[in-house]
Structures are given as structure tokens and as C-alpha cells.
């Protein structure tokens, strides 16, 4: 009888632990922003071919307090910020228009667009950096989480 009670207690403890682990995984998954990009490069290209401007769009499910930002990583390694919509809390469509991919010397070079989740402190830094004249950042602010990346090639 003692072995049976101990076995039942151990089984209940294992079941409780597994239930808590599943609950924590569900909460963790529910607390992450998710985005999809619906704008695709033309003609099956790997990278978007751009002269000066690029419009991107998609859908987003952002966590409370986070903002979606599109960050261009320049050919010299700096980060230029542009806000994408929606602002949190927000679910739905987002769009962003990015301008000025480098100079004539950058023709043929690839740029990377990072679509990031920015908590309030990072969003504040991006906001300050995006006000003209643009002030590129040497690194991404703490707390920034990259959700997706997009390749861009300057063609003219």
C-alpha cells in the first residue's frame, strides 16, 4: 500500500510539473511578437532591387508595449531607423517606406532590413535617431529583438 501511495504521489507530481511546463511554454509563446512580410522581391529575386525607395508591408501581432521598427543596416555597418505600423498594442497590417539606400558608390551593394520588436526604451532611441537629420546608430539598443530580415540590393 505504501508503494502504491508513493507511486501515485510521484505520478501526480510529474503530471503537475508537465502541466506547469506546458503552461509556461504557452505563456512564453503568447508573449512574443510575430510578423509576416507580404511584400516580396520582383521576379523571384533573392533581394529587392532598389534605386532609392522601398515599400514593405505585412501583418503583425505585437506584444503589449512593443513597437515594430524597420531598421536598415547600411553598407558601413550603421543602423538607420524607420517606424512601421501598427504601434502596440496592435494586430493587423503594417507598412513602411524606406528611403535613400546609400550613395552612388553603393550601387551593387546589399543592405539588410531588420524588422524588429522594440520595447519602449529601444523605441525611444530609434525615434530620436530617425528625426531628420537622421543619426545612424552604431549598434541596436538593448532589448531589441529581430523578427525578420529582408535583403535589398541598390541598383542605381
Amino acid at each position: 500500500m505504501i508503494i502504491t501511495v508513493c507511486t501515485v504521489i510521484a505520478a501526480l507530481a510529474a503530471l503537475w510539473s508537465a502541466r506547469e511546463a506546458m503552461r509556461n511554454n504557452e505563456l512564453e509563446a503568447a508573449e512574443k511578437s510575430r510578423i509576416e512580410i507580404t511584400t516580396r522581391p520582383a521576379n523571384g529575386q533573392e533581394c529587392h532591387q532598389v534605386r532609392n525607395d522601398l515599400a514593405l508591408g505585412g501583418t503583425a501581432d505585437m506584444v503589449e508595449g512593443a513597437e515594430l521598427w524597420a531598421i536598415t543596416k547600411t553598407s558601413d555597418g550603421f543602423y538607420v531607423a524607420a517606424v512601421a505600423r501598427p504601434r502596440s498594442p496592435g494586430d493587423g497590417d503594417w507598412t513602411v517606406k524606406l528611403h535613400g539606400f546609400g550613395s552612388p558608390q553603393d550601387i551593387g551593394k546589399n543592405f539588410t532590413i531588420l524588422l524588429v520588436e522594440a520595447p519602449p526604451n529601444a523605441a525611444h532611441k530609434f525615434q530620436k535617431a530617425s528625426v531628420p537629420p537622421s543619426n545612424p546608430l552604431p549598434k541596436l539598443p538593448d532589448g531589441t529583438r529581430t523578427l525578420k530580415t529582408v535583403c535589398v540590393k541598390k541598383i542605381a
Side-chain angles (χ1 to χ4, degrees):
M1 180 77 166
I2 293 175
I3 294 174
T4 306
V5 171
C6 290
T7 303
V8 169
I9 291 171
L12 288 174
L15 182 62
W16 179 263
S17 179
R19 182 174 168 260
E20 284 299 304
M22 283 177 43
R23 183 175 172 271
N24 288 340
N25 286 342
E26 288 171 2
L27 287 174
E28 190 175 294
E31 293 174 359
K32 290 186 178 179
S33 296
R34 291 178 297 281
I35 66 164
E36 290 300 323
I37 302 168
T38 55
T39 312
R40 301 283 179 231
N43 302 322
Q45 298 287 324
E46 182 177 325
C47 293
H48 290 270
Q49 309 286 308
V50 299
R51 296 183 194 293
N52 290 312
D53 300 329
L54 173 67
L56 290 175
T59 59
D61 180 6
M62 301 299 292
V63 297
E64 181 76 32
E67 293 182 9
L68 178 60
W69 281 79
I71 311 298
T72 303
K73 185 173 182 184
T74 64
S75 60
D76 55 1
F78 286 93
Y79 298 92
V80 179
V83 71
R85 299 287 184 239
R87 284 185 173 234
S88 174
D91 298 335
D93 297 336
W94 59 269
T95 59
V96 63
K97 189 162 186 176
L98 304 167
H99 306 282
F101 290 93
S103 64
Q105 292 85 356
D106 292 316
I107 292 172
K109 291 184 180 175
N110 288 347
F111 292 78
T112 302
I113 309 300
L114 302 131
L115 293 153
V116 302
E117 171 190 275
N121 65 319
H124 178 73
K125 289 180 181 177
F126 288 143
Q127 183 64 42
K128 283 177 55 177
S130 67
V131 175
S134 178
N135 299 305
L137 300 169
K139 67 179 190 122
L140 294 175
D142 291 340
T144 302
R145 189 169 71 91
T146 301
L147 302 172
K148 300 271 184 179
T149 60
V150 176
C151 176
V152 175
K153 183 172 188 163
K154 184 170 179 70
I155 58 170

